[in-house]
Amino acid sequence: MKSKKIDSIEGPNIAFQIREEVFVKEQNIPIEVEFDDRDSLDGQCEHILGYFNKLPAGTGRIIIQDGIGKLDRICILKPYCQYGLGKLIVTSLEEIAEDNSIFILTLSITLTILS
């Protein structure tokens, strides 16, 4: 497993495909809610991809604003959930925060109740 900061044109497209699969299709989040103005490489936030066996399997982003980092849009494709990729993505986002001298982080989650 490894993670990589998204810094090319193809990177966001891969991340968006993963987010659409997890959030829109699996969790029924409306597509217009899932994607926002921070989904670009213009410096508003940093995006990463997580890989398992060289295949993109997860993604996440960190929004840095007013000295605080918000870990956001973290998701893993279902077939890869059991391998610890989420921890790798969070750790990678924490490293980005530290590189930017950000030491306060927040994280929001969506709870899904299984019946």
Side-chain angles (χ1 to χ4, degrees), residues 95-114:
E95 289 170 0
I96 291 170
E98 189 174 336
D99 290 345
N100 286 278
S101 299
I102 301 296
F103 301 102
I104 299 172
L105 299 175
T106 65
L107 172 67
S108 297
I109 62 168
T110 302
L111 293 177
T112 303
I113 301 187
L114 304 173

Side-chain angles (χ1 to χ4, degrees), residues 6 14-20 22-24 27 29-39 45-50 57-63 70-77 86 89-90 93 106-110:
I6 295 174
I14 296 168
F16 298 163
Q17 289 170 1
I18 293 170
R19 284 173 43 195
E20 184 172 357
V22 173
F23 293 124
V24 177
Q27 297 182 9
I29 304 294
I31 198 162
E32 62 273 6
V33 172
E34 175 53 31
F35 297 100
D36 60 24
D37 61 345
R38 293 190 171 116
D39 287 324
C45 62
E46 300 278 352
H47 300 261
I48 64 163
L49 281 170
T59 189
R61 70 183 187 183
I62 182 169
I63 302 165
K70 178 183 178 188
L71 307 184
D72 196 41
R73 302 299 202 268
I74 299 167
C75 61
I76 312 298
L77 292 171
I89 289 173
V90 169
L93 294 171
T106 65
L107 172 67
S108 297
I109 62 168
T110 302

